[in-house]
Amino acid sequence: MTMRCFTNWYYIPAGNYGKARGLLTYLQYRDDRDAHIPRAGGPERWVDCGLGSNWREILDNAAELENRRTNTLLRSLVIRPPQEDIARLEQVDPERWAERRELMHELVQQVMHAEMERRGIEWPGGRQPMDLPYSYVIHAPDDKNGVESLHAHVITPAMDRDGERPFNIYPKDVQLTRQVAERETERLFELERVRERQQEQEPGRDGLSDAKMPSPSLEIGFYDL
């Protein structure tokens, strides 16, 4: 079965501030292990959803919400849609292809919204989602075959905004995160239409047919935790 969207959770243990700094600066200044972004005059990297707009702010805020009980300084989520289907989008729907970064932003926000909803608490007035600050970057390097690998790195603290409730990740959460990401990827990028169009085309008709399409790379440029 084809993987509809790659996701995985990582974490950095409590007290490992040097490793956290290495991860955050890597995400801020690189698209992958080779593509360096100048420290001065580079593009805005982080989307601040409450945790910070640069690596220093993110590290400081994560340190404030460190969870010694679960030995967690911060968590990181990688989200990567299927790059072969996203690449085909350029021919099937050029307008949607041009909006792929905006769609990626919405994908991240929908996934994180689901994370907070799932950990909500029932109150007399209704369900209250977890208040979890986070920040993220979107990278889009080309893989070794020259195919763009659009993906996001999300950073969260180990506790909620008030430092009262832990943000834990269990095996069932890993699967639920992936299910949400797959569903939202299909909806936002309309990938079913991409696959239907691909089936209609004869092999070899264009450079993105099954016969010509480079194999997808699951080696996402990510700091080694």
Side-chain angles (χ1 to χ4, degrees), residues 201-222:
Q201 295 173 341
E202 296 177 2
R205 184 172 178 177
D206 60 59
L208 292 177
S209 67
D210 287 336
K212 299 289 186 178
M213 187 66 196
S215 299
S217 171
L218 292 181
E219 295 182 1
I220 298 174
F222 189 77

Side-chain angles (χ1 to χ4, degrees), residues 7-9 169-179:
T7 61
N8 206 9
W9 281 101
I169 299 293
Y170 299 104
K172 67 175 183 179
D173 295 308
V174 174
Q175 183 60 34
L176 289 171
T177 299
R178 182 163 298 170
Q179 289 174 0

Side-chain angles (χ1 to χ4, degrees), residues 18 28-29 39 43 60 64 91 113 132 156 171 174 194 212 218:
Q28 183 161 327
Y29 297 122
R39 291 173 181 260
D60 288 346
E64 288 290 326
Q91 293 189 2
H113 175 75
L132 183 72
T156 78
V174 174
V194 174
K212 299 289 186 178
L218 292 181

Side-chain angles (χ1 to χ4, degrees), residues 9 20 24 26 29 47 50 65 70 112 114 131 145-146 151 172 174 186 200:
W9 281 101
L24 296 172
Y26 171 83
Y29 297 122
V47 177
L65 297 171
T70 61
M112 293 308 298
D131 187 3
N145 296 311
H151 61 276
K172 67 175 183 179
V174 174
E186 291 289 316
E200 294 171 358

Side-chain angles (χ1 to χ4, degrees), residues 117-192:
E117 284 287 342
R118 191 164 68 247
R119 293 167 174 80
I121 297 177
E122 294 293 343
W123 293 94
R127 187 174 181 82
Q128 181 66 41
M130 173 179 273
D131 187 3
L132 183 72
Y134 66 96
S135 295
Y136 68 92
V137 292
I138 291 177
H139 290 175
D142 288 346
D143 68 7
K144 62 183 180 181
N145 296 311
V147 180
E148 183 180 84
S149 178
L150 181 67
H151 61 276
H153 300 269
V154 186
I155 303 296
T156 78
M159 305 284 288
D160 69 358
R161 191 183 303 272
D162 296 326
E164 296 177 352
R165 297 179 57 207
F167 177 59
N168 295 327
I169 299 293
Y170 299 104
K172 67 175 183 179
D173 295 308
V174 174
Q175 183 60 34
L176 289 171
T177 299
R178 182 163 298 170
Q179 289 174 0
V180 172
E182 289 180 344
R183 182 187 70 232
E184 292 301 317
T185 297
E186 291 289 316
R187 180 182 68 85
L188 291 168
F189 291 93
E190 297 185 3
L191 294 184
E192 184 61 32

